[in-house]
Amino acid sequence: MKRFNRPLDIRHGHVDLTHGSGGRAMAQLVSELFAPAFANDYLAQGNDQAIVPRPAGRLALATDSHVISPLFFPGGDIGSLAVHGTVNDLAMGGAQPLYLTAGFILEEGLPLATLHAIVQSMAAAARAAGVSIVTGDTKVVERGHGDGVFISTTGVGVVADGVQLSGDAARAGDVILVSGTLGDHGMAVMSQRENLGFASDIVSDSAALHTLVAALLQAAGLGLRLLRDPTRGGLATTLNEIAQQSGVGMQLHESAIPVRPAVRAACEFLGLDPLYVANEGKLIAICAPEQAAAALAAMRAHPLGADAAVIGEVVADSHQFVRVKTDFGGERLLDWLSGEMLPRIC
């Protein structure tokens, strides 16, 4: 017996308030759009919770919300970004990601074709990362009360015994590395904004970083102090967070920091500093100096770390300042980001 009178019209239909009502329309949206894309044994349980096996090791949990505008950008979309962002939050603690939950807030009037494309992209990103989306939720808000779609994700991962990465672990003398060029994601998104649109071939770096982290852990071992992904606020804000948490300063070398010429040019056009621009597929690694060469080699040997570089060192500084030695022989202070430089970027 067919459960619904007619199939969901994904090609021409739109989200309406009944899709969030908890009734037949919502059940059909879940059954015909979400469930086939995210299909796995845990999701198929069909309950209000997913019951999953207990892994060996310590559990890692991370949660994130995604409100990007536009929904699609060169190199990705809000669906793949939702997976990558949460996978990376887990990976920065040395965790192997296992499961994701996904909450969708949909705006009335969103084309079902748009939602379908986002869900398919999210499913593909999860498969590529080796994680299962095991449970979720859908709500619909009135037209004009959202921005198409917002996605919240929670991730569960497992950290192997002996792995201990923490933002308070940086020590004076440690080496600061980045896994590649900075600012790609933020500028890729900005190039698509209607009020700021400019011609560019910049592509977002959005990617899942857990395999790169695994390579780093194998190469640097206990010498790896901490990892962070410099998302909102970019490199500058992330290093200020670490400096405050660890009670140290940072000394960077401007000439060593990798930024693509197109990104640098776009930032100059918009009056932005690429060191404050969001990234979604890069990481900062801080490690003991004895393991720096091995860490750099491991990153450069990985497809997501080909442009990795040593960009500075941790220093003793009671003020916890992040400083940059400029190409002209001077020095400037990289302070915390003040205000919202790039709204709705991830």
Side-chain angles (χ1 to χ4, degrees):
M1 183 176 66
K2 292 179 67 174
R3 185 173 180 182
F4 307 110
N5 293 331
R6 68 175 77 118
L8 198 66
D9 186 0
I10 292 175
R11 185 174 178 183
H12 300 105
H14 294 76
V15 171
D16 62 45
L17 294 176
T18 66
H19 288 123
S21 67
R24 185 182 298 274
M26 181 173 174
Q28 185 174 18
L29 183 71
V30 171
S31 176
E32 296 183 15
L33 195 149
F34 289 107
F38 299 153
N40 59 74
D41 291 342
Y42 307 117
L43 187 65
Q45 294 169 5
N47 298 316
D48 288 341
Q49 73 290 316
I51 298 176
V52 298
R54 179 187 299 174
R58 293 165 291 152
L59 287 180
L61 303 175
T63 191
D64 206 353
S65 298
H66 309 273
V67 295
I68 195 165
S69 177
L71 299 175
F72 298 86
F73 49 86
D77 55 73
I78 192 172
S80 58
L81 182 67
V83 172
H84 295 158
T86 303
V87 164
N88 291 346
D89 285 346
L90 292 170
M92 295 308 104
Q96 173 65 33
L98 299 175
Y99 310 114
L100 295 178
T101 74
F104 290 79
I105 298 178
L106 310 176
E107 184 182 14
E108 179 187 14
L110 177 72
L112 288 177
T114 298
L115 179 59
H116 182 261
I118 290 168
V119 168
Q120 291 296 317
S121 175
M122 192 172 181
R127 288 193 297 270
V131 298
S132 298
I133 299 174
V134 297
T135 189
D137 185 54
T138 304
K139 295 292 188 295
V140 179
V141 297
E142 294 87 349
R143 192 185 302 268
H145 288 212
D147 194 12
V149 56
F150 302 148
I151 303 176
S152 293
T153 45
T154 295
V156 179
V158 61
V159 182
D161 292 337
V163 175
Q164 187 68 49
L165 304 176
S166 177
D168 63 358
R171 300 290 180 265
D174 287 349
V175 176
I176 306 168
L177 306 93
V178 294
S179 63
T181 56
L182 301 175
D184 297 355
H185 173 72
M187 286 300 99
V189 173
M190 295 302 288
S191 72
Q192 302 300 301
R193 295 271 173 91
E194 289 184 5
N195 58 333
L196 290 175
F198 52 89
S200 172
D201 60 356
I202 301 170
V203 176
S204 171
D205 60 350
S206 183
L209 296 171
H210 57 297
T211 58
L212 176 60
V213 170
L216 265 173
L217 285 168
Q218 185 173 14
L222 296 178
L224 191 61
R225 310 284 199 209
L226 66 94
L227 301 171
R228 285 285 173 85
D229 53 337
T231 53
R232 286 172 298 173
L235 175 76
T237 300
T238 305
L239 287 181
N240 272 283
E241 292 173 353
I242 296 170
Q244 184 178 77
Q245 196 172 352
S246 290
V248 296
M250 308 280 180
Q251 183 69 67
L252 309 182
H253 307 281
E254 187 174 53
S255 60
I257 301 173
V259 179
R260 297 187 193 280
V263 169
R264 193 178 300 279
C267 285
E268 291 177 358
F269 173 70
L270 296 173
L272 303 175
D273 186 336
L275 303 189
Y276 288 88
V277 176
N279 310 271
E280 289 292 345
K282 301 299 188 317
L283 62 79
I284 299 166
I286 295 182
C287 70
E290 296 81 10
Q291 277 75 44
L296 181 62
M299 284 199 286
R300 287 181 172 175
H302 191 281
L304 295 177
D307 296 315
V310 172
I311 63 168
E313 53 277 336
V314 179
V315 296
D317 183 353
S318 61
H319 299 292
Q320 301 164 14
F321 287 153
V322 178
R323 306 175 188 269
V324 180
K325 291 183 178 178
T326 70
D327 294 340
F328 300 102
E331 187 175 80
R332 66 184 175 109
L333 186 67
L334 278 185
D335 204 352
W336 290 81
L337 178 64
S338 178
E340 183 69 276
M341 183 175 68
L342 297 174
R344 309 289 300 282
I345 208 75
C346 55

